[in-house]
């Protein structure tokens, strides 16, 4: 990375901490971010067996206040928002009129201690400016809504892993076990406000925190200290990617893009098509009725060579039937895994070949996700 490239990148409030900890920094979505602190596999295993801490401050955080905020988001998102209870979180997509995915997002309905109600939309870093412009195009129809981009004023920290719950119990003035999956609340960490949601992107239980930017380092250190004896480890983008692949969570720019609709991507559950209208609704309904042309599938390549994004998937007749969207070694399974978009006519086949740098390797289809954590009582 040249000096000019480095100087054009943004930095999260935790940037100095990462550098002091010896992280390898790389450009990602306009930010300079830690990809690893020493070993992607060790950070991956720490998350699966103990807990890991991720700086995800590069994600966009957009706030909506005022009457009509729910109706505005209801127009923008594939999931219904007007019935989202206070404390609820929903996964949804923002689509264009053709049903192509502009971004996948989380929307939360929150109440402040002073009884102010608002919605928070978390968007992908690479799509933040695009989504902001998309939102601004709709604001004229909702003059009572106040829209603010809170990304630079806040930081976002993810605590993920089987020991995340017990450690977070030491940090907050409420028991975080009271939050069910996809619920959020505003609480405090040593008298400083923090939004805590029981969500994540690793396939493990855990929490995501949104805090004031100036409090990020203190809260990060508090979590590390609270989890020190339990073996907490900081983890970079490398481990985040292998964890989300094992959990078969789609990543924008890989499984999702403006040429892919939610039905093809296997995200029908995140589209409420009945009794409501939203941008892209009619196109998505037509695709659902007619059936998609492609479908996301899981593949297990034979051997040790991983199939990377862009590799051709070959059908039984020797023709190209799809493309690998994500692939790499699975630290948990000890073998390569991959997701691909393939022609729907062959999506139920069990055997494929993958062209890996000019050499074909056999692969068998498998159900997604590749990894599913054991359920707990909390």
């Amino acid at each position: 990375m040249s000096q000019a490239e480095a100087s054009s990148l943004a930095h999260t409030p935790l940037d100095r901490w990462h550098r002091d900890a010896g992280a390898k920094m790389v450009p990602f979505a306009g930010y300079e971010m830690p990809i690893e602190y020493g070993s992607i596999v060790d950070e991956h295993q720490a998350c699966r067996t103990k807990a890991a801490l991720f700086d995800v401050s590069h994600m966009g955080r957009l706030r909506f206040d005022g009457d009509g905020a729910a109706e505005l988001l209801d127009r923008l998102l594939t999931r219904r928002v007007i019935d989202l209870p206070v404390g609820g979180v929903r996964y949804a997509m923002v689509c264009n009129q053709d049903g192509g995915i502009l971004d996948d997002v989380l929307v939360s309905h929150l109440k402040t201690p002073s009884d102010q109600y608002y919605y928070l939309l978390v968007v992908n870093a690479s799509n933040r400016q695009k989504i902001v412009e998309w939102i601004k195009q709709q604001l004229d129809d909702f003059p009572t809504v106040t829209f603010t981009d809170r990304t630079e004023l806040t930081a976002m920290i993810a605590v993920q892993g089987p020991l995340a719950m017990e450690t977070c119990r030491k940090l907050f003035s409420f028991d975080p076990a009271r939050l069910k999956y996809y619920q959020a609340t505003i609480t405090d960490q040593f008298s400083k406000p923090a939004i805590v949601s029981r969500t994540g992107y690793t396939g493990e239980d855990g929490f995501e925190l949104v805090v004031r930017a100036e409090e990020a380092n203190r809260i990060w250190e508090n979590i590390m200290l609270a989890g020190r004896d339990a073996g907490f480890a900081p983890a970079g983008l490398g481990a985040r990617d292998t964890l989300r692949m094992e959990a078969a969570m789609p990543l924008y720019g890989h499984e999702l893009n403006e040429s892919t609709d939610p039905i093809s991507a296997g995200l029908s559950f995140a589209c409420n098509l009945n009794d409501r209208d939203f941008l892209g609704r009619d196109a998505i309904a037509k695709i659902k009725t007619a059936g998609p042309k492609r479908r996301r599938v899981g593949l297990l390549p034979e051997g040790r060579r991983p199939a990377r994004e862009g590799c051709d998937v070959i059908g039984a007749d020797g023709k190209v039937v799809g493309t690998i969207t994500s692939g790499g070694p699975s630290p948990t399974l000890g073998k390569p895994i991959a997701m691909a978009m393939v022609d729907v006519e062959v999506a139920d086949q069990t055997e494929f070949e993958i062209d890996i740098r000019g050499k074909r390797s056999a692969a068998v289809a498998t159900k997604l996700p590749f990894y599913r954590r054991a359920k707990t009582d909390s």
Side-chain angles (χ1 to χ4, degrees), residues 17-18 21 36-37 39 43 46 51-54 220 224 232-236:
W17 195 96
H18 301 317
E36 61 176 317
Y37 298 84
S39 164
E43 292 162 23
L53 208 58
F54 302 82
W220 178 280
M224 288 294 295
F232 270 37

Side-chain angles (χ1 to χ4, degrees), residues 36 38-49 51-52 231 233-235 239 331:
E36 61 176 317
S39 164
I40 291 175
V41 172
D42 287 349
E43 292 162 23
H44 180 112
Q45 298 294 15
C47 185
R48 286 278 182 258
T49 61

Side-chain angles (χ1 to χ4, degrees), residues 52-353:
L53 208 58
F54 302 82
D55 177 10
V56 288
S57 303
H58 60 304
M59 305 286 285
R61 293 166 292 280
L62 312 177
R63 175 168 169 165
F64 300 81
D65 289 82
D67 293 339
E71 287 76 8
L72 166 60
L73 289 163
D74 219 54
R75 175 190 285 190
L76 288 167
L77 304 186
T78 57
R79 294 286 291 280
R80 189 174 283 107
V81 178
I82 54 175
D83 64 351
L84 182 63
V86 175
V89 183
R90 280 183 183 153
Y91 174 78
M93 279 151 285
V94 183
C95 290
N96 60 31
Q97 293 286 16
D98 297 326
I101 300 171
L102 296 173
D103 200 12
D104 62 330
V105 302
L106 287 180
V107 58
S108 303
H109 190 187
L110 298 163
K111 185 181 79 168
T112 71
S114 58
D115 290 339
Q116 291 181 304
Y117 295 84
Y118 70 93
Y119 294 87
L120 184 71
L121 197 67
V122 176
V123 304
N124 283 290
S126 58
N127 293 329
R128 176 178 147 216
Q129 292 304 325
K130 176 178 69 177
I131 295 301
V132 166
E133 293 304 316
W134 189 247
I135 291 166
K136 287 180 178 177
Q137 293 176 28
Q138 317 302 325
L139 283 176
D140 286 347
D141 293 338
F142 299 89
T144 57
V145 176
T146 300
F147 165 63
T148 51
D149 185 344
R150 301 280 297 173
T151 307
E152 302 299 331
L153 299 173
T154 56
M156 191 165 169
I157 298 168
V159 191
Q160 301 280 293
L163 301 183
M165 175 65 74
E166 285 308 309
T167 300
C168 285
R169 276 179 163 143
K170 305 174 185 175
L171 296 170
F172 303 116
S173 56
F174 82 113
D175 184 356
R178 288 165 43 196
L179 290 180
K180 297 179 180 178
Y181 295 114
Y182 280 80
Q183 287 189 339
T185 190
I186 298 177
T187 182
D188 65 272
Q189 213 286 304
F190 285 156
S191 302
K192 301 296 181 182
I195 300 169
V196 180
S197 57
R198 197 167 179 181
T199 53
Y201 193 57
T202 63
E204 297 298 333
D205 193 8
F207 301 92
E208 293 177 308
L209 286 65
V210 176
V211 301
R212 291 174 178 168
E214 61 270 24
E215 297 294 334
N217 278 275
R218 183 185 61 80
I219 292 175
W220 178 280
E221 290 280 8
N222 286 346
I223 299 171
M224 288 294 295
L225 181 62
R228 182 180 57 188
D229 294 339
F232 270 37
L237 294 179
R240 187 169 167 84
D241 193 47
T242 54
L243 290 159
R244 71 94 193 167
M245 275 198 292
E246 288 183 349
M249 293 178 171
L251 176 62
Y252 200 89
H254 293 255
E255 286 70 38
L256 311 179
N257 54 59
E258 293 186 32
S259 299
T260 302
D261 62 86
I263 309 301
S264 301
L267 301 174
S268 299
F269 74 91
C271 295
N272 300 137
L273 297 174
N274 296 329
D275 304 322
R276 64 186 293 262
D277 191 19
F278 61 87
L279 295 170
R281 185 263 174 205
D282 291 347
I284 295 170
K286 287 181 181 178
I287 293 168
K288 185 173 183 179
T289 300
K293 294 180 180 178
R294 298 182 299 161
R295 192 197 302 169
R296 180 163 62 108
V297 299
L299 297 175
L300 296 173
E302 293 186 356
R304 308 298 298 179
R305 298 176 73 213
R308 303 293 186 180
E309 179 191 7
C311 290
D312 287 336
V313 179
I314 314 297
D317 61 359
K319 296 181 180 179
V320 175
V321 296
T323 305
I324 298 295
T325 52
S326 294
S330 163
T332 303
L333 302 181
K335 57 186 177 182
I337 57 175
M339 288 188 282
M341 294 295 291
V342 302
D343 297 339
V344 71
E345 293 83 2
V346 301
D348 291 327
Q349 291 185 7
T350 57
E351 296 182 355
F352 295 89
E353 287 186 324

